[in-house]
Amino acid sequence: MLSAQFGGEIPARQPADPNRVLKPYPFKAFGFYLEISLALHSDTAALLTADIFLGRLYRGYGRALRWLANNRAGRSVAIAFADQHANHAELWLSCARVTTSGNRSGLRAALKDIHDELAMVDAGLRMWFPQTVRGDGLTDLEKLAEDDEVVRLMLTSPQGFLNYAHQHPDEQISAALIRDVYGWLGQWDEQLLHLDRFGLGMAGGRKSFLWWRARPLFELRRYEELIRVCQELESLSEEREKPTIIGVVAQAFYERGEFEEALDVARSATHESSWRVWLTRCLAQARLRRGTEAMESYSGYERLVGKDIIAAKIVSSVMSQSREEIFDQAPPFTTDSFSR
């Protein structure tokens, strides 16, 4: 998106300070908030820099930071770490690239590197850290918090916000905000109960309601209900959304130990675009002792997500158990099960 829209030209602006830094350009991509700016070094060279706010975690920050450090550090986009980031449990990335005057291809390559890297980070966060509060939504909430005491409480103390909402049922507090905060804290039982009570009254209609129900059902391992939700959701969704839904169904079958069924479902998805399908195929094939096929599928997963220490550890464990012919129970690969 960045490459297509902004890779050709960035409008010239007169630098307003001694460092000759042009005003940052704000972007939003994959739910992240970016600021990209140019610092002029001379008449023939400029430094393009990007500060990328991935989001905040109220639960699981340390593990998310380790995951990010092991998967992303040393690439074209690396971790930006400061005491303030740690104090607020925030994830940040940064990058810098020198480009010359009129070097559109260099600028385009830099923006494409950022875009590709964020696509991989997005996939990993969705898989392993669904409680992440995305940076673009958080920046919007922080603006609201300047004039709204309830939103300010929500950001500083999510559990305190939930307690306040329960103690003041007559106050007009958005049901969508309460739903979101349950997700921030990983309180999936409570989020599901809240959705079943208020979900259909929230904006977005039946389709959005089903999308929201799918995650807590998955985390709670209520796979039969999850499969029914996904089947209805598939009937309401566009073609481009179906590989994601099918990937969740395949994963549910895998979690139940139905490995052949998981592979049958995965065959109906567009493998090239669904990282979840590739990983589920890999694990199911490993369980069926099809080691060569499993490694080929894992290579397909890494092409979309890049290096992933969590997935690699799970696959290694499953492959080891398969070699020892331990097939009594499939190890789930949800976030909570991995932490155990």
Side-chain angles (χ1 to χ4, degrees):
M1 181 192 71
L2 294 176
S3 175
Q5 294 187 17
F6 305 100
E9 292 184 40
I10 286 186
R13 298 189 183 183
Q14 188 67 28
D17 59 47
N19 295 322
R20 306 179 76 191
V21 177
L22 303 189
K23 183 178 180 180
Y25 294 82
F27 298 97
K28 292 182 179 181
F30 300 102
F32 308 139
Y33 180 81
L34 301 77
E35 285 191 349
I36 299 177
S37 57
L38 292 173
L40 303 180
H41 287 294
S42 67
D43 293 336
T44 59
L47 177 68
L48 181 145
T49 60
D51 294 307
I52 305 159
F53 181 25
L54 300 181
R56 180 181 299 171
L57 287 96
Y58 291 96
R59 171 179 169 270
Y61 171 69
R63 196 162 68 90
L65 185 61
R66 289 194 298 275
W67 173 85
L68 192 67
N70 279 278
N71 295 340
R72 305 270 80 85
R75 299 174 64 94
S76 57
V77 179
I79 288 179
F81 190 82
D83 289 341
Q84 184 179 4
H85 300 161
N87 292 338
H88 292 96
E90 294 175 349
L91 300 177
W92 285 76
L93 296 175
S94 66
C95 74
R97 177 165 178 156
V98 174
T99 184
T100 57
S101 176
N103 183 10
R104 295 186 182 184
S105 60
L107 179 60
R108 190 180 302 277
L111 295 177
K112 187 176 186 303
D113 284 346
I114 295 170
H115 184 266
D116 291 347
E117 193 73 19
L118 293 186
M120 291 190 286
V121 172
D122 172 62
L125 289 178
R126 289 184 186 279
M127 177 73 87
W128 309 121
F129 304 100
Q131 74 274 23
T132 306
V133 187
R134 295 299 179 108
D136 66 344
L138 190 57
T139 54
D140 293 339
L141 286 172
E142 287 173 337
K143 292 177 183 177
L144 291 176
E146 295 175 0
D147 302 312
D148 191 318
E149 187 175 341
V150 173
V151 176
R152 189 156 57 249
L153 173 63
M154 181 178 70
L155 294 179
T156 56
S157 175
Q159 188 60 60
F161 165 79
L162 292 176
N163 295 339
Y164 179 87
H166 295 154
Q167 294 165 6
H168 300 81
D170 297 331
E171 189 166 335
Q172 297 297 316
I173 298 177
S174 168
L177 290 181
I178 296 174
R179 172 203 66 196
D180 290 347
V181 173
Y182 279 132
W184 297 357
L185 298 175
Q187 297 180 7
W188 306 113
D189 276 308
E190 292 84 351
Q191 188 188 60
L192 192 59
L193 289 171
H194 181 75
L195 283 166
D196 289 340
R197 184 178 180 185
F198 299 103
L200 287 174
M202 299 179 194
R206 181 70 179 176
K207 182 179 173 181
S208 294
F209 171 69
L210 293 172
W211 273 114
W212 275 103
R213 285 195 89 236
R215 189 78 214 196
L217 286 173
F218 178 77
E219 295 292 342
L220 295 169
R221 304 183 190 179
R222 291 164 59 172
Y223 299 126
E224 290 187 14
E225 294 175 70
L226 175 62
I227 291 171
R228 290 197 297 270
V229 164
C230 288
Q231 287 171 342
E232 182 180 353
L233 188 57
E234 187 178 358
S235 68
L236 299 173
S237 299
E238 301 175 14
E239 285 299 319
R240 61 182 177 81
E241 299 170 308
K242 291 183 179 180
T244 299
I245 301 167
I246 293 171
V248 173
V249 175
Q251 190 171 340
F253 277 115
Y254 171 82
E255 299 282 3
R256 297 200 309 188
E258 300 174 21
F259 309 128
E260 289 286 4
E261 289 81 356
L263 289 176
D264 287 341
V265 171
R267 290 189 186 100
S268 64
T270 305
H271 303 152
E272 296 303 320
S273 63
S274 178
W275 36 267
R276 190 182 296 274
V277 168
W278 281 111
L279 185 56
T280 303
R281 278 165 50 90
C282 166
L283 292 169
Q285 288 162 342
R287 282 285 162 184
L288 295 168
R289 288 180 286 183
R290 302 173 188 173
T292 301
E293 294 178 28
M295 295 314 299
E296 290 175 355
S297 294
Y298 189 72
S299 295
Y301 174 76
E302 282 202 333
R303 281 196 297 271
L304 296 175
V305 178
K307 180 183 175 184
D308 187 338
I309 59 169
I310 296 180
K313 183 172 182 178
I314 293 171
V315 170
S316 176
S317 174
V318 173
M319 294 286 284
S320 175
Q321 289 183 343
S322 297
R323 284 193 294 270
E324 297 170 7
E325 297 188 357
I326 301 175
F327 300 103
D328 56 335
Q329 182 179 1
F333 55 105
T334 61
T335 304
D336 291 339
S337 65
F338 180 79
S339 65
R340 288 196 294 272

